[in-house]
Amino acid sequence: MSFVPAATRALRVLRFLASRPGPVSAAAIAVEVDVPRSSVYQLLEAMAQEGFVTHLPEERRWGLGVAAFEIGSAYLRHDGVERLARPLLHQLMEATGATAHLGVLHGADTLYLLKEQPPHAPTLITGVGVRLPAHLTASGRAMLARLPRAQVRALYPDTAAFTDRTGRGPADPGALRRVLEQEARQGWSIEEGQVTDGFVSVAAAALDHNGRPAAAISLTVPSARPVTPQALAGRVGDAATELTRRLGGRRSVQAER
């Protein structure tokens, strides 16, 4: 193997391992990256020496190593998602006059990482570092709608998992499932007064290389403003698609609901 193909195959191995819930066999890796098993063993041994993979001899399986975690942590330290999304949010804010946010899922919460607010815009609770219940926010539901049903069930197993702010929004697993199914079909999520009375938000998810939600971009305006949610949704959808591209992500087949 020449240097470039070997490097490409090693990266494919890492990507495959990152997509699995646990360690896998060399045979499964060989099938996934479409190379002979003997070559896969050579790759794995070299990557293990550098700490990117680890071998579990009793299970005859391979998993990600500490070095892979360190690379991921370094990416977060460099504010990768924020750096890629910031200019997109600024463009959205200037084009629409709405407040733009970048959020990620943090358990069953939406954690806001970025906020671009136009001058003289009303103050919103959704500041950087604020966490709000994901099932009430447009950003949170845009990401939940891209998760498998089992994962959503684990986050919201019963009515006790649902908090309320304004008396609106899904309050039990069945109601949430119906909302997510509808918003998954239309490709964007909307929140009307479920976080703060008098405001409307629309959001769309940006996806990672596995087609899973990496973040969500949203726009928020006062309810009385003469603009349709559909018009804002078109802008948000385009920005989310561009962030997906910048993240090296891909549009997924819709998660099983």
Side-chain angles (χ1 to χ4, degrees):
M1 292 184 296
S2 63
F3 177 76
V4 174
T8 300
R9 289 167 175 171
L11 292 172
R12 288 175 179 170
V13 169
L14 287 175
R15 177 169 288 182
F16 175 61
L17 290 176
S19 71
R20 307 305 298 167
V24 297
S25 66
I29 296 171
V31 171
E32 176 65 21
V33 300
D34 193 25
V35 298
R37 193 182 304 186
S38 59
S39 299
V40 166
Y41 278 116
Q42 292 175 9
L43 283 172
L44 291 170
E45 292 291 347
M47 295 163 69
Q49 289 178 14
E50 298 297 326
F52 284 94
V53 301
T54 185
H55 185 220
L56 305 175
E58 293 80 10
E59 301 180 31
R60 298 182 180 179
R61 293 174 180 266
W62 298 80
L64 291 175
V66 174
F69 172 77
E70 291 173 344
I71 293 294
S73 299
Y75 175 80
L76 293 176
R77 289 197 303 273
H78 285 229
D79 298 329
V81 176
E82 292 97 320
R83 285 174 181 266
L84 294 173
R86 190 181 301 276
L88 300 176
L89 264 64
H90 187 74
Q91 292 165 15
L92 275 176
M93 181 268 292
E94 289 197 323
T96 65
T99 299
H101 296 92
L102 179 75
V104 296
L105 280 179
H106 190 277
D109 290 336
T110 302
L111 171 63
Y112 292 94
L113 302 181
L114 289 176
K115 180 178 183 179
E116 288 283 340
Q117 184 169 317
H120 312 302
T123 300
L124 299 172
I125 189 174
T126 46
V128 173
V130 169
R131 294 195 301 176
L132 290 172
H135 67 284
L136 295 180
T137 68
S139 293
R141 291 208 301 270
M143 292 181 282
L144 291 173
R146 289 288 180 172
L147 292 179
R149 180 186 295 179
Q151 192 167 346
V152 176
R153 263 201 317 267
L155 292 172
Y156 296 93
D158 51 40
T159 55
F162 291 79
T163 56
D164 172 70
R165 287 181 59 86
T166 65
R168 304 170 189 166
D172 60 70
L176 178 61
R177 183 177 65 253
R178 290 189 292 273
V179 170
L180 294 182
E181 288 172 349
Q182 176 186 341
E183 294 184 338
R185 286 193 297 269
Q186 70 185 12
W188 51 278
S189 298
I190 181 170
E191 174 264 307
E192 299 180 89
Q194 295 170 18
V195 173
T196 304
D197 280 322
F199 289 91
V200 175
S201 297
V202 297
L207 309 179
D208 65 16
H209 67 277
N210 289 316
R212 295 298 184 92
I217 293 176
S218 65
L219 287 172
T220 300
V221 296
S223 303
R225 181 173 164 176
V227 61
T228 66
Q230 290 79 6
L232 295 178
R235 298 272 192 174
V236 164
D238 290 342
T241 297
E242 174 60 17
L243 182 56
T244 295
R245 187 192 68 79
R246 294 184 180 195
L247 291 169
R250 63 179 176 86
R251 306 308 294 180
S252 68
V253 175
Q254 182 57 50
E256 178 191 355
R257 300 248 57 86

